[in-house]
Amino acid sequence: MTEVISPAGPGMWRPGDAWLGGGTALFGEPRPELSRLLDLPSAGWDPLTVRDDGVEIAATCTIAELAAALAGPAIVRQCCDAFLASFKIWNVATVGGNLCAALPAGPMISLGSALDGVCTLIAASGRERQVPVAGFVTGAGRTVLRDGELLRSIFLPAAALRARTAYRRGRLHRHGRSAVLLIGRAEPGGGLTLTVTAATRRPRVLRFARPPHAGELAAALAAIPATEYVDDVHGHPAWRRHLTGYYAEQIRTELGR
């Protein structure tokens, strides 16, 4: 690393560059292939913008800012708490950085996917495109970002933020990384949206137009390939899959009341 460009923006990227948010993931391991960092927080984006139809969260919004500004919906605080991080990390780590790191256990990925979030991406040319959060992460450590493209913001629709939710999180020990994180969202007319994260390499969103019975839910979960379940020190795939089914049934029952 030889240089930090601050402030930075679209059109400044060149091969060997990386966009810098809070840096908690970027600095977590050696990256000898990088020569420059493009500093995004210094661009001065507003952390959150409240609109009639929802909330626009800047990629540079810190976890602390998100938790303070969106204190109403319980699911926001639950996902922020899933970091199990100190206040120092909360005040540095960014929402966008958590998405771009694309770790299966990334709680901002869980939150955005569960609430039908939409990412705004900006290419080096300045052209924008929108991608659902659930489709932004394509695998462990992989996203749809193209060379030079940056994540500008995440939009959460007002209807999803107002919805009744249920949250379940499993890990091997109290202060361990999430091994399974499920969020259920009640839909108008009794439908259910169930989002599976942490257990799988990428978010899996299951939608039911009407209240599903236990068999329907189990069949939908069974359609997730066994190879999609994460295998690492934080949990065996078979255990993650079992816990996913166990928590999913709890959520179905809770939101069906």
Side-chain angles (χ1 to χ4, degrees):
M1 207 97 51
T2 60
E3 191 177 3
V4 176
I5 307 300
S6 180
M12 302 179 71
W13 184 92
R14 69 188 189 198
D17 288 352
W19 298 106
L20 173 64
T24 55
L26 189 61
F27 298 145
E29 59 186 53
R31 298 180 186 274
E33 74 280 8
L34 299 181
S35 57
R36 299 195 313 171
L37 296 179
L38 304 181
D39 182 36
L40 290 176
S42 60
W45 299 338
D46 290 335
L48 285 96
T49 303
V50 179
R51 300 174 2 193
D52 290 341
D53 58 343
V55 176
E56 194 85 28
I57 305 169
T60 52
C61 176
T62 66
I63 305 309
E65 289 171 330
L66 177 68
L70 282 183
I75 192 61
V76 174
R77 182 62 190 232
Q78 288 170 322
C79 287
C80 288
D81 286 339
F83 272 94
L84 288 176
S86 71
F87 71 93
K88 295 179 181 179
I89 298 297
W90 268 44
N91 282 282
V92 176
T94 62
V95 175
N98 192 247
L99 265 71
C100 292
L103 298 176
M108 296 298 98
I109 299 170
S110 306
L111 177 67
S113 298
L115 297 184
D116 290 342
V118 177
C119 299
T120 293
L121 312 181
I122 306 180
S125 64
R127 184 173 182 177
E128 295 186 3
R129 65 180 177 124
Q130 277 70 46
V131 177
V133 172
F136 177 76
V137 175
T138 58
R142 301 199 310 272
T143 70
V144 298
L145 285 170
R146 300 163 183 164
D147 286 349
E149 200 168 34
L150 65 87
L151 171 60
R152 173 60 179 85
S153 63
I154 302 93
F155 175 74
L156 300 181
L161 283 166
R162 289 193 299 264
R164 191 161 56 100
T165 59
Y167 171 95
R168 295 293 188 279
R169 177 171 173 261
R171 63 269 200 201
L172 285 176
H173 53 88
R174 183 178 179 184
H175 297 295
R177 178 180 289 182
S178 300
V180 178
L181 201 161
L182 269 67
I183 298 173
R185 191 178 85 228
E187 300 288 6
L192 171 68
T193 295
L194 179 71
T195 301
V196 179
T197 54
T200 50
R201 301 178 190 280
R202 61 181 178 85
R204 294 282 181 162
V205 182
L206 309 179
R207 301 183 188 275
F208 302 89
R210 56 182 177 77
H213 56 67
E216 287 177 310
L217 179 60
L221 290 172
I224 299 175
T227 54
E228 276 295 299
Y229 284 86
V230 178
D231 184 5
D232 61 16
V233 297
H234 302 288
H236 190 277
W239 173 71
R240 292 178 193 256
R241 192 171 197 177
H242 168 76
L243 205 56
T244 295
Y246 178 74
Y247 284 155
E249 177 57 23
Q250 287 186 347
I251 288 173
R252 184 190 73 86
T253 302
E254 178 179 334
L255 293 181
R257 292 171 185 161

